[in-house]
Amino acid sequence: MVKVSDRLAARLRDAGVDRVYGVPGLAVDPLLRALGAGPGVPEFVQARGEESAALMACAEAKLTGRPGCCLAPPGAGVLRLLGGLYDAAADRAPVLALVGADPVPRRGGGPALRHLAEVCVYCEEVSAPEQAGDALDRAVRAALGDRGVASLVLSPGTLAAPAPPGLSGSGPSGPSGFAGSSGPSGSFRARPGPAPMPVPDVAGVRRAAEVLGGGGRAVVVIGNAGRAASGQAAGAARLLGAGVVTTALARDALPDDLPYLAGVAGPLGSEAAAALLRDCDTLLLVGAEDLDPALPPVPGRCRIVTVDRNPDDCPLGPEISAVRVNGEVTACLEALLPLLRGGADRGWAVRVERTVRAWRAAGETRARRYFGTSVNPRAVVAELSERLPERAVVTTDSGTALDWWTRHLRLRTGMRSLLSGHLALPGAAVPYAVAARFAAPDRPVIALVGDGALQGGGLNELITVRRHLDRLAGLPPLVFCVFNNGDLNRLTWQRRAAAGDPLIPLSAEVPALPYARWASLAGLPAVRCDRPRQVGPAWEDALGRRGPLLLEFVVDGETPPDWAAGPGTNRYRPKALSRLMGPAGRPLAG
């Protein structure tokens, strides 16, 4: 007998879902059995926890553009799932969450529906077999169209019931922008494509060209929604003699060897990006929905042009932007490029490149320094950058590993980077890397993770890697690079910056753990490096292998990030720090 769960599993695959990350439970057992039925259905990857499952689904969605999918039982499983779902919602990643319903139906949909409704763009409880097909179609369309989380709460009785005649695994493609529903079954045959986009406003494009051409010191900001138009954004920058900065989520939109690319714009981002944003008179925001609203220059001193899919995507209020062009971002820029003329101040282009060169040179100098026998954490990422394999995927966590990723990672064309952007969820790097390995088995994958984040959940997902070791051993390298400094280092430096006192004791200690030995005991290959001059050879060894490996670097926790140290210093200095501080002790951008 063909059950509803069998049909749903087939429809998930038709909708573009290749894997379902999740945690088993009685309420979802019928769907688990269907996912293990063999070819034609998504693969089930069991995570060690629901939050990790949601993070894996989010990472796959970010990497592939197709819907990521996670599965959880009801009750506490839903609460644990929410952390990863909030990450997907904040970064606007299309994720489908399938959750088991409570055994006893409750009035108003039960707690699962209420909790999920807070984070989802679409949420529905399916309590009858005939509802399942259309509900899944609606959820997939919502996740892709609204770029967010869509969830279905499925009762065990519904999943185990015989499939009604209209619930099939494939069907005719519909007339919607992606291959969608047609007829009562609403079934999928082809993988989803992009939804229809509004046509660019011709008058708005002309006004944008006039504003941009009238400026002399332009900066282009590429955001997460502008990744597909990064080539056109770079073309606009060349015509305007502009500098380019990216948001953290769009870190890999352009290769880092471009002379006018000044790094990541953020409160603790690139010094060069902060300098350009401070001094520009014209700003072009390209799909920059994820830009921190506090970063753009003060209105009135800088004219701002925003290009986004719709007005709600812009991080700035309507009174901020001089011109707003809404439509498909690539099409808008294609229409804009022929109308652009160079800015009046061509010396700005020279200044941009000089600023970028100086910033990069300073980073190289700081990465070469070390004190005593301690490994400089900057050198770990700098040495990796020199050896990054082609088409590598680099994930990073939200501690000081993020600072070194921002400062010293040099990505080339075809490489990808993944992180928890808005939520900055600690511990996301390892689940992200695991999902990247499953989603892109032909790419090298490197995770940059602090020891605090690894203890906060990453160690658990290394067990998942161990479980699949036979399958992963022959694939390109999957390296988990651990910064072992015995400290929640980002938190420590933020506290030091707030207190203005270099002598306060460590306030965020992490229990000592020999990570390489732990990995070896778990059956994973591991390498430990605690000598500054062995950082490069350690990376060569790790990247020269196949399959998973944990690479532990014992690093100097007293190496400050750029935002906590003055120019030319590799040690904490209160006077240098004070020059970077704004009112009330708040760090300035960059």
Side-chain angles (χ1 to χ4, degrees):
M1 179 182 66
V2 178
K3 300 178 180 179
V4 170
S5 56
D6 300 315
R7 295 303 192 197
L8 288 182
R11 287 167 81 101
L12 284 171
R13 186 60 181 266
D14 293 337
V17 175
D18 291 329
R19 270 158 297 279
V20 176
Y21 301 96
V23 175
L26 290 176
V28 293
D29 274 354
L31 188 53
L32 284 176
R33 282 191 284 269
L35 293 172
V41 296
E43 173 190 13
F44 177 71
V45 177
Q46 182 180 345
R48 310 274 67 77
E50 289 87 353
E51 181 179 84
S52 290
L55 289 172
M56 292 176 186
C58 178
E60 179 148 340
K62 289 178 178 179
L63 186 62
T64 66
R66 300 194 299 271
C69 187
C70 55
L71 176 69
V78 178
L79 297 177
R80 289 191 286 262
L81 191 72
L82 289 176
L85 294 184
Y86 271 106
D87 177 50
D91 291 348
R92 304 196 68 180
V95 168
L96 179 64
L98 305 177
V99 178
D102 291 312
V104 179
R106 302 191 186 189
R107 188 175 182 179
L113 200 64
R114 292 196 298 271
H115 291 310
L116 292 167
E118 295 181 1
V119 69
C120 293
V121 297
Y122 178 85
C123 185
E124 181 176 353
E125 185 168 19
V126 180
S127 56
E130 57 272 14
Q131 299 173 356
D134 288 339
L136 179 60
D137 294 352
R138 289 190 292 269
V140 172
R141 283 196 293 270
L144 289 167
D146 294 335
R147 294 188 299 132
V149 179
S151 61
L152 295 179
V153 180
L154 303 158
S155 69
T158 298
L159 290 172
L167 182 60
S168 61
S170 62
S173 298
S176 62
F178 57 88
S181 60
S182 177
S185 67
S187 54
F188 289 91
R189 181 173 65 186
R191 296 192 171 214
M197 294 281 191
V199 177
D201 174 25
V202 176
V205 170
R206 289 176 178 168
R207 289 196 302 273
E210 292 173 1
V211 169
L212 293 170
R217 303 186 306 278
V219 170
V220 178
V221 179
I222 302 176
N224 190 39
R227 299 170 54 88
S230 58
Q232 290 81 2
R238 289 191 294 269
L239 288 170
L240 297 170
V244 175
V245 301
T246 72
T247 62
L249 289 173
R251 171 76 168 79
D252 54 3
L254 291 172
D256 282 314
D257 57 2
L258 295 176
Y260 49 82
L261 182 59
V264 174
L268 304 178
S270 154
E271 295 167 301
L276 296 186
L277 288 174
R278 182 186 63 234
D279 296 337
C280 70
D281 64 6
T282 310
L283 200 60
L284 172 59
L285 305 183
V286 179
E289 62 188 20
D290 50 325
L291 179 66
D292 189 320
L295 288 178
V298 178
R301 186 172 60 81
C302 178
R303 294 169 295 180
I304 301 176
V305 174
T306 62
V307 179
D308 268 301
R309 176 178 176 176
N310 60 62
D312 294 335
D313 290 341
C314 181
L316 309 178
E319 71 282 359
I320 301 297
S321 300
V323 178
R324 302 183 68 165
V325 181
N326 298 125
E328 198 276 320
V329 177
T330 302
C332 290
L333 288 186
E334 290 283 6
L336 178 64
L337 283 173
L339 305 178
L340 291 180
R341 56 185 178 85
D345 184 5
R346 300 306 296 176
W348 173 249
V350 175
R351 180 177 169 184
V352 166
E353 295 191 12
R354 185 169 62 243
T355 299
V356 172
R357 282 197 305 270
W359 172 66
R360 289 176 176 166
E364 292 170 1
T365 299
R366 293 176 187 179
R368 287 194 296 266
R369 295 177 177 173
Y370 63 91
F371 295 87
T373 59
S374 298
V375 171
N376 182 350
R378 297 174 179 270
V380 173
V381 180
E383 295 283 357
L384 166 65
S385 290
E386 295 181 6
R387 298 167 173 82
L388 266 179
E390 296 298 324
R391 302 181 68 248
V393 179
V394 183
T395 73
T396 190
D397 233 296
S398 57
T400 47
L402 177 61
D403 294 312
W404 318 136
W405 168 91
T406 299
R407 185 62 168 97
H408 299 285
L409 188 67
R410 301 286 294 272
L411 297 172
R412 303 189 301 276
T413 301
M415 295 179 177
R416 293 295 309 274
S417 68
L418 298 173
L419 80 161
S420 172
H422 281 87
L423 198 59
L425 188 65
V430 173
Y432 269 38
V434 174
R437 163 50 69 238
F438 285 115
D442 59 332
R443 286 177 176 256
V445 179
I446 300 101
L448 304 176
V449 56
D451 48 2
L454 191 65
Q455 290 189 20
L459 286 173
N460 292 336
E461 291 314 318
L462 291 180
I463 300 173
T464 302
V465 176
R466 176 63 183 85
R467 180 176 185 175
H468 296 275
L469 186 59
D470 291 343
R471 168 184 176 182
L472 304 179
L475 298 178
L478 168 60
V479 181
F480 299 95
C481 170
V482 183
F483 294 82
N484 181 359
N485 53 31
D487 182 40
L488 297 177
N489 210 227
R490 168 68 75 89
L491 178 59
T492 291
W493 282 107
Q494 287 175 326
R495 286 174 172 170
R496 285 178 166 181
D501 181 359
L503 301 178
I504 63 173
L506 293 177
S507 56
E509 293 181 355
V510 172
L513 184 68
Y515 300 99
R517 285 169 52 194
W518 185 96
S520 297
L521 287 173
L524 292 174
V527 173
R528 183 177 187 270
C529 177
D530 58 4
R531 298 183 180 183
R533 297 187 185 277
Q534 294 302 311
V535 173
W539 273 119
E540 291 175 1
D541 179 20
L543 296 173
R545 303 193 190 194
R546 306 285 288 182
L549 178 137
L550 186 139
L551 178 56
E552 175 188 0
F553 288 101
V554 181
V555 299
D556 182 9
E558 291 298 309
T559 300
D562 286 357
W563 50 266
T569 181
N570 202 37
R571 285 288 184 178
Y572 182 88
R573 291 184 182 177
K575 291 183 179 179
L577 176 64
S578 66
R579 291 197 295 270
L580 297 178
M581 301 301 292
R586 294 183 59 191
L588 297 177

